[in-house]
Amino acid sequence: MPITPTSHIWMNGEMVPWEDATVHVLTHTLHYGTGVFEGIRAYETDRGAAIFRLTEHIERLYRSAKILNMDMPYSVPELVDACKQVVADSGLPSCYVRPIAYYGYGEMGLATADCKTEVAIAAWPWGAYLGDDAVTKGVRMKISSWTRHDHNIMPPASKTTGNYANSTLAKMEALRAGYDEAIMLNNAGLVSECSGENLFVGCGDVLITPPTSSGALPGITQDTVISIAEDLGYDIAVADLARSDLYVADEIFVCGTAAEVSAVNSVDDRDIACPGPRTAAIAEAYADVVRGRNEKYSSWNEHAS
Ligand code: PPE
């Protein structure tokens, strides 16, 4: 998806003009995938732009860095403030926010002990990640031939830049085969997540989502959906799913910051009822929560100014 530039990018404590926010070709992370990043959305609310669960996203960035043994040169409140500054500076009522921590120019080789961590934060407008019809018409899913990272290969709980080569393989395979998105199984053959979203299966009054131990990212949208779904009276099970559970599900949806709540209309060409009633109710409730229209969750709307 093309990027529409905004005016500045926060780089190591400075607001740098968009076109000057560049790195050297010998940047360590460019060679070895040794960065960690976040994807966050700011939404238009009655009180101006609010960044959804910003502090929790930045806290996850720190957990991702800890898994990589990466020292962070700023505190959580400093990066929270920096994200707010970037969103306010963009002048956009709603946007996508991308903080990234990476090893810059100066060291080469796999040992990172002497590498300095650099941090950048950009914001730009980003539309519907899985297409404008994702909520109503749903997306066509394919089980990937690519396996999700194993915990002892690339820890999937860390949003490490290098992990996303695995997601890109799966996504491109699905797109080239005429599908919209890939579902990834783990080494045990159980459902993990999608190339860029977590997954929920609706079965009777129960909604089932695979646990972090399946190789799924601990999703902030997944956590939001669990709270909303409980409010709507659904039972939640965080549990393993087999591939065949997907084929016979009453309904399926995927969720993530970028994808929000998107319905699934088929898996490997087996039709799934779409949009199912649970998906429609949860997507509507999610749209309200992120836009500050649900008092119960107003602390999740972190205002940019
Ligand atoms: N799993 C993966 C692999 C993943 O990348 C995401 C976010 C999620 C689950 C959902 O996590 P959360 O956003 O906390 O609910 N994927 C990001 C898009 C990746 C991309 O750059 O493309 C996102 O949604 O921002």
Side-chain angles (χ1 to χ4, degrees):
M1 273 176 271
I3 297 178
T4 309
T6 52
S7 55
H8 292 91
I9 291 180
W10 188 97
M11 275 185 106
N12 302 314
E14 312 269 324
M15 291 296 272
V16 175
W18 178 280
E19 59 280 6
D20 297 335
T22 54
V23 295
H24 196 279
V25 287
L26 294 183
T27 294
H28 191 281
T29 293
L30 185 62
H31 294 246
Y32 303 122
T34 47
V36 294
F37 71 104
E38 272 302 321
I40 316 172
R41 271 193 193 271
Y43 289 90
E44 186 167 8
T45 74
D46 286 349
R47 292 184 40 217
I51 312 174
F52 190 62
R53 301 189 75 174
L54 168 62
T55 303
E56 279 138 306
H57 278 281
I58 297 299
E59 286 169 351
R60 186 172 64 185
L61 183 72
Y62 280 70
R63 288 195 296 278
S64 294
K66 186 173 185 186
I67 292 171
L68 271 200
N69 261 326
M70 174 184 251
D71 289 332
M72 291 291 283
Y74 302 97
S75 64
V76 170
E78 278 171 334
L79 290 192
V80 164
D81 281 350
C83 288
K84 290 181 179 175
Q85 195 185 345
V86 171
V87 171
D89 177 79
S90 76
L92 295 167
S94 63
C95 57
Y96 189 75
V97 187
R98 168 59 54 84
I100 180 166
Y102 58 97
Y103 294 128
Y105 170 79
E107 292 284 331
M108 261 307 162
L110 300 181
T112 56
D114 294 328
C115 292
K116 250 183 54 228
T117 309
E118 311 217 6
V119 182
I121 305 168
W124 66 87
W126 220 9
Y129 187 67
L130 293 175
D132 290 332
D133 293 338
V135 173
T136 46
K137 293 199 182 132
V139 288
R140 291 184 72 215
M141 308 294 277
K142 180 190 190 316
I143 308 271
S144 187
S145 74
W146 296 98
T147 302
R148 193 73 187 145
H149 293 298
D150 186 79
H151 295 279
N152 296 315
I153 298 177
M154 290 289 281
S158 173
K159 216 168 151 60
T160 302
T161 56
N163 282 5
Y164 281 78
N166 174 250
S167 284
T168 296
L169 286 168
K171 180 81 182 184
M172 290 312 297
E173 177 188 64
L175 292 180
R176 289 203 170 117
Y179 297 84
D180 300 310
E181 175 56 312
I183 296 173
M184 310 201 58
L185 308 181
N186 59 28
N187 251 328
L190 299 168
V191 177
S192 175
E193 60 174 347
C194 311
S195 76
E197 307 88 23
N198 292 106
L199 176 141
F200 280 82
V201 162
C203 220
D205 279 340
V206 186
L207 284 164
I208 307 164
T209 189
T212 306
S213 57
S214 73
L217 185 77
I220 290 170
T221 317
Q222 181 187 43
D223 182 74
T224 303
V225 162
I226 289 173
S227 296
I228 291 173
E230 283 172 348
D231 293 347
L232 291 170
Y234 297 114
D235 291 328
I236 303 290
V238 178
D240 281 322
L241 291 164
R243 172 180 197 147
S244 52
D245 292 327
L246 304 182
Y247 295 161
V248 298
D250 289 344
E251 67 185 272
I252 301 177
F253 62 86
V254 298
C255 68
T257 298
E260 303 179 292
V261 176
S262 299
V264 169
N265 62 34
S266 65
V267 177
D268 287 347
D269 305 309
R270 276 78 165 177
D271 288 342
I272 311 283
C274 174
R278 305 161 188 82
T279 307
I282 289 166
E284 193 185 321
Y286 184 77
D288 283 342
V289 168
V290 294
R291 287 174 184 78
R293 297 195 292 251
N294 185 332
E295 263 308 304
K296 181 174 175 188
Y297 299 113
S298 59
S299 65
W300 284 346
N301 309 117
E302 300 187 41
H303 289 274
S305 50

